[in-house]
Amino acid sequence: MDFLHPLPLLLDSGRGDSRPPLCEDQPIRAARSPSLRDQALRQRSPATAAIAAWLIASATSAQQIKEVPAQSPAQQTGPIISDSDFTAALPSLTTEQTRPDTQPQAQTPSAQPPTATPALANAPIASDLPAVTPIGDSDLTTPLTPLSGFDAQPLEATAMPAAATPPAITYDTVLEGLPKAETARFNDLSALKAGKGKAANPSMVRARANEDEALVLRLLSSDGYFDGTVTSSILTPTNGSAHVQAHLIVVPGKRYRLGQIHVKADPTVPPNLIASNLPLRGGDPIVADQVLAAEANVSVIMPQNGYPFAAVKNRDIALDPDTALGDYTLMVDPGPRSRFGGFRSTGKVVFQPGHIAELTRFYPGDLYDNRKVDDLRQALVATSLFRSVSVEPVKTGQMNPDGTEQVDLVVDQDKGPRHSMSAQMGYSTGQGFAATGSWTDRNLWPPEGALIVTGTLGTEEQDLGVMFKRSDDGERDRTLTYGLASAHVDETFEAYSETLSWGMSRVSTPIWQKEWTWAYGVDLETARETSDPAETPTVYAHYESAAVPLKLEWDKTDDLLNPTHGFRITGQITPQVELNGGTPASVSSTIDASFYQSVSAQGVLAGRIRVGSIFGGSLLDLAPSTRFYAGGGGSVRGYAYEALGPLDADGNPTGGLSVGELSLELRYRIGSYGIVPFIDAGQVYDTRLPDFSNLRIGAGIGGRIYTNFGPLRIDIATPIADNKRDVAIALYVGIGQAF
């Protein structure tokens, strides 16, 4: 056996034995050599003796292989090594043997073991080996130096030279066979196109081409080409150029079209509610976007028609390769047809169910419509009292007489911060700067009872006011206010006033723009006013009055802050009486009308007219603050603020009993920016009715920056007529359109 023949070489390496190694065809028979066993027993330790005995026994057995004649399998009737021979060959681990003086005699093959070979007989025994001298190195027994005793220095790594960057390559992308409708989408999503024709090596181009192969197959399937194939190749020029070509060849195959269209669903009211709102027709190509859009339309329409729990389930399209048709089946679970029930408040509650009901635009028992639910959620968000709020329908199990189920709306609320602050600033020529700020406690008296403190600091106006405001008072967007204000105005007249007011109004909001809005109230005012602030010494007249302002608006525009078509008419009338009896009662009335008409995709033509009159008492009987004025931003731009109309002996405007104004703008918008050329005209008269004579005209151009809270306005205007009171250039900055 091959694994035995190294052993003699190991034992006889010191004697130069030249016997050939063991071969596999040599006969094997067991043999026992007492002399070798004795040599093993003379080792210095039991462990060494055991190892030597095993090696000697193996070597002895190998030696006999050469001396024992081969036997046929039939002749080998006993064990190769008997148990007694194996046991006798083992060394004793407890008794140390002495070396015999003479070697044992050789035995015949049949009776005695063979004599050991000269190489084994002359092998050194353990007693002949030199004694091991212990190492007396004191350094090995000395304790190691503590780590803290070393002067450790940080390793300064030597910067490795940067590997050479392989030269980049450029490539072209060639696409053949892809339908035109999908080419644009491929260009947007392609990995090759995203690389902009540059790569580190051809392998990178290959990887991108593999990605685009998968992309093409997805695009083909999304457009109805389910049998399409695509292959790509990277063409490298033979002239050694670093410019390659990625070539994709597309074979779309036949395009599949819709066959029969089936809807599996429980009966609905009306019966064709699902089918009529699934805009798929037999014969149309199977386009993924169109199929998904049709299913989404069903998901939208169902909750708008009384099915709040409708769910679009699985679709199935069975393709027939022979006809290239796919039969489409859609499964829909409509759920119960439902009507509105009550409300439930959960979370950090701000509003109880009773107040939530006041914000709705539907009534209990109305057919469920999720558009009205979304409107309610927006109204809740608009109160600014929530960090977050959600409105979800829940089943009640209560059935109505018509078979519909009543559903409640669960309003999950998370209370937001109660306090807020705001500020705004503006500037106009003639009026100067004005900064306004406010502090609000939004819900001091629930529900929606806010305390608002406002202040204005401007070149010609300063005021401070405190107001209590209850929004959604009894119904949505109806507002109740109480106010107390003190103001100082130093414009064409000077006035110090204190006002106590009460009002009720129904207003439009961006969420719910109303066709009709109104307002009414009562104002009690005491004032000290003069029409000639430059008079020395200043002479003030005292006024104590009560006024009842009434306002009505008809709004047919498409947007509250930035309309593009429609009209808006606002009428206001204010009866006023003097409480001290010094002057007769008067009635002030104004009508503002504006129209808006789109003239192009970006352009809107806007116009405005304002007419006002005061009846009762003469001009000098009226307090200066109650007269009509014109000029400046929001009136006739290009002229000084309130500078138009009759003048006193010193050339100062006195105000008038009537007013007439006209404005025309072309609002041209490009993205988030706009340009607005405009022209204004107007005049103030000392007659009861305006006759539109001697009009003052101003013209200019403005810029607009459109934001989500309205446009920012910057207007520059100049007067057309020559008037010594006119300024050369007037600048106006504000929020919102001029009208």
Side-chain angles (χ1 to χ4, degrees):
M1 298 177 67
D2 289 345
F3 70 90
L4 292 176
H5 66 227
L7 295 177
L9 297 177
L10 173 65
L11 294 174
D12 300 337
S13 60
R15 300 297 182 92
D17 192 353
S18 59
R19 290 181 300 168
L22 213 58
C23 299
E24 291 187 359
D25 58 350
Q26 293 175 330
I28 298 176
R29 189 172 66 85
R32 183 169 178 266
S33 176
S35 61
L36 291 178
R37 178 177 179 273
D38 293 339
Q39 293 178 27
L41 294 176
R42 294 179 60 84
Q43 301 301 318
R44 293 173 179 257
S45 66
T48 307
I51 296 173
W54 180 81
L55 294 174
I56 293 169
S58 301
T60 304
S61 299
Q63 175 66 23
Q64 299 303 319
I65 294 174
K66 297 177 60 177
E67 301 176 2
V68 178
Q71 298 181 4
S72 65
Q75 295 175 331
Q76 298 177 3
T77 58
I80 297 175
I81 301 176
S82 66
D83 292 341
S84 59
D85 292 340
F86 178 81
T87 303
L90 294 177
S92 174
L93 300 180
T94 59
T95 304
E96 183 178 354
Q97 302 293 329
T98 58
R99 181 180 178 181
D101 295 334
T102 59
Q103 297 292 335
Q105 297 296 323
Q107 300 178 4
T108 61
S110 60
Q112 299 294 334
T115 304
T117 62
L120 291 177
N122 297 326
I125 61 177
S127 60
D128 297 333
L129 297 176
V132 177
T133 303
I135 298 176
D137 192 347
S138 60
D139 292 339
L140 295 178
T141 59
T142 302
L144 297 177
T145 304
L147 294 177
S148 59
F150 286 93
D151 183 14
Q153 297 293 332
L155 177 63
E156 296 182 1
T158 303
M160 299 297 292
T165 302
I169 64 171
T170 59
Y171 64 88
D172 293 328
T173 302
V174 179
L175 179 67
E176 296 182 4
L178 187 66
K180 186 176 181 180
E182 299 300 329
T183 301
R185 297 178 65 184
F186 174 85
N187 292 335
D188 292 338
L189 303 174
S190 167
L192 288 169
K193 294 289 186 180
K196 298 181 180 181
K198 296 180 180 180
N201 48 58
S203 298
M204 183 178 290
V205 181
R206 174 75 269 173
R208 293 174 182 175
N210 291 341
E211 291 184 28
D212 283 357
E213 285 186 17
L215 171 63
V216 168
L217 292 177
R218 292 197 303 271
L219 293 177
L220 290 174
S221 297
S222 69
D223 209 25
Y225 298 94
F226 298 102
D227 299 333
T229 60
V230 57
T231 57
S232 64
S233 59
I234 308 300
L235 305 180
T236 304
T238 57
N239 57 4
S241 172
H243 189 82
V244 301
Q245 184 182 87
H247 204 162
L248 283 81
I249 301 177
V250 182
V251 180
K254 54 189 174 183
R255 194 179 195 186
Y256 285 76
R257 299 180 178 272
L258 290 171
Q260 297 182 1
I261 298 176
H262 304 281
V263 175
K264 293 184 178 180
D266 293 337
T268 61
V269 179
N272 63 342
L273 178 62
I274 299 176
S276 62
N277 290 285
L278 184 68
L280 297 176
R281 300 292 179 267
D284 291 345
I286 304 177
V287 179
D289 290 345
Q290 295 178 3
V291 172
L292 294 176
E295 295 172 358
N297 190 63
V298 173
S299 300
V300 170
I301 294 298
M302 294 292 286
Q304 294 178 358
N305 290 271
Y307 293 91
F309 308 106
V312 175
K313 300 293 186 178
N314 298 331
R315 81 179 69 87
D316 180 70
I317 302 178
L319 300 177
D320 186 348
D322 296 332
T323 61
L325 294 177
D327 291 340
Y328 174 87
T329 303
L330 180 65
M331 299 181 64
V332 179
D333 180 11
R337 191 166 184 254
S338 306
R339 296 185 180 274
F340 287 114
F343 299 91
R344 307 177 192 176
S345 295
T346 61
K348 296 182 180 179
V349 175
V350 179
F351 296 154
Q352 297 298 331
H355 186 66
I356 295 173
E358 295 175 354
L359 303 180
T360 62
R361 297 170 66 183
F362 57 86
Y363 297 97
D366 288 353
L367 190 66
Y368 184 92
D369 187 340
N370 71 335
R371 290 171 294 186
K372 297 179 180 179
V373 176
D374 291 340
D375 176 76
L376 171 61
R377 183 185 59 80
Q378 291 176 347
L380 292 169
V381 171
T383 65
S384 301
L385 295 176
F386 302 93
R387 279 193 175 90
S388 63
V389 61
S390 63
V391 184
E392 298 294 338
V394 293
K395 298 178 181 179
T396 64
Q398 300 178 13
M399 305 304 295
N400 298 310
D402 62 352
T404 59
E405 182 176 349
Q406 178 177 307
V407 297
D408 288 348
L409 296 180
V410 175
V411 182
D412 186 67
Q413 309 168 37
D414 185 7
K415 183 185 299 184
R418 278 179 48 177
H419 304 101
S420 67
M421 298 181 66
S422 64
Q424 66 181 33
M425 181 178 293
Y427 172 81
S428 64
T429 302
Q431 195 174 9
F433 286 97
T436 301
S438 67
W439 175 89
T440 303
D441 187 326
R442 297 192 182 103
N443 206 25
L444 182 60
W445 293 283
E448 298 192 69
L451 179 65
I452 305 172
V453 180
T454 61
T456 300
L457 183 61
T459 306
E460 297 184 349
E461 181 181 1
Q462 305 86 41
D463 65 51
L464 179 65
V466 178
M467 179 172 57
F468 168 76
K469 176 182 177 182
R470 185 179 296 282
S471 303
D472 302 312
D473 183 53
E475 68 178 50
R476 181 169 169 180
D477 294 335
R478 186 170 72 181
T479 303
L480 171 67
T481 59
Y482 298 93
L484 178 63
S486 178
H488 171 242
V489 177
D490 187 6
E491 299 168 344
T492 54
F493 61 90
E494 185 176 15
Y496 294 88
S497 63
E498 290 76 33
T499 305
L500 178 65
S501 62
W502 170 88
M504 182 72 74
S505 62
R506 182 176 187 261
V507 298
S508 280
T509 66
I511 297 174
W512 185 14
Q513 182 179 349
K514 303 167 185 62
E515 183 175 352
W516 292 97
T517 57
W518 46 261
Y520 62 87
V522 176
D523 295 337
L524 301 176
E525 183 179 64
T526 177
R528 295 181 300 120
E529 301 184 15
T530 178
S531 59
D532 189 0
E535 183 180 9
T536 304
T538 304
V539 178
Y540 293 97
H542 292 267
Y543 301 91
E544 295 178 358
S545 62
V548 181
L550 306 171
K551 180 180 178 181
L552 182 66
E553 182 174 276
W554 183 22
D555 190 351
K556 296 291 289 184
T557 61
D558 63 330
D559 188 89
L560 185 65
L561 300 177
N562 188 38
T564 59
H565 67 266
F567 64 87
R568 185 178 295 153
I569 301 175
T570 304
Q572 184 167 343
I573 183 170
T574 306
Q576 179 173 306
V577 296
E578 289 296 327
L579 298 179
N580 58 11
T583 58
S586 63
V587 177
S588 174
S589 60
T590 57
I591 295 178
D592 282 274
S594 57
F595 75 91
Y596 310 90
Q597 179 62 51
S598 298
V599 294
S600 67
Q602 293 83 24
V604 175
L605 183 65
R608 177 183 71 94
I609 182 172
R610 180 186 181 222
V611 177
S613 297
I614 299 176
F615 296 91
S618 65
L619 182 63
L620 296 180
D621 292 333
L622 300 176
S625 60
T626 62
R627 303 169 188 173
F628 285 117
Y629 299 88
S635 177
V636 182
R637 287 163 286 186
Y639 290 83
Y641 182 67
E642 297 183 346
L644 302 183
L647 306 177
D648 61 15
D650 296 326
N652 299 316
T654 62
L657 296 176
S658 62
V659 65
E661 295 177 353
L662 300 168
S663 295
L664 191 66
E665 292 185 345
L666 179 60
R667 302 171 181 173
Y668 193 82
R669 178 173 179 174
I670 304 174
S672 297
Y673 302 94
I675 185 171
V676 181
F678 59 84
I679 185 170
D680 297 333
Q683 187 58 280
V684 174
Y685 305 93
D686 55 8
T687 58
R688 300 292 181 186
L689 296 174
D691 58 9
F692 291 94
S693 63
N694 195 26
L695 291 176
R696 293 291 185 261
I697 300 174
I701 192 168
R704 302 291 185 268
I705 301 176
Y706 293 93
T707 67
N708 56 358
F709 56 85
L712 300 178
R713 174 168 57 96
I714 302 175
D715 291 337
I716 299 176
T718 186
I720 301 299
D722 184 14
N723 188 298
K724 64 180 181 180
R725 291 185 54 85
D726 299 338
V727 294
I729 296 293
L731 174 66
Y732 309 95
V733 180
I735 299 176
Q737 299 285 7
F739 57 88

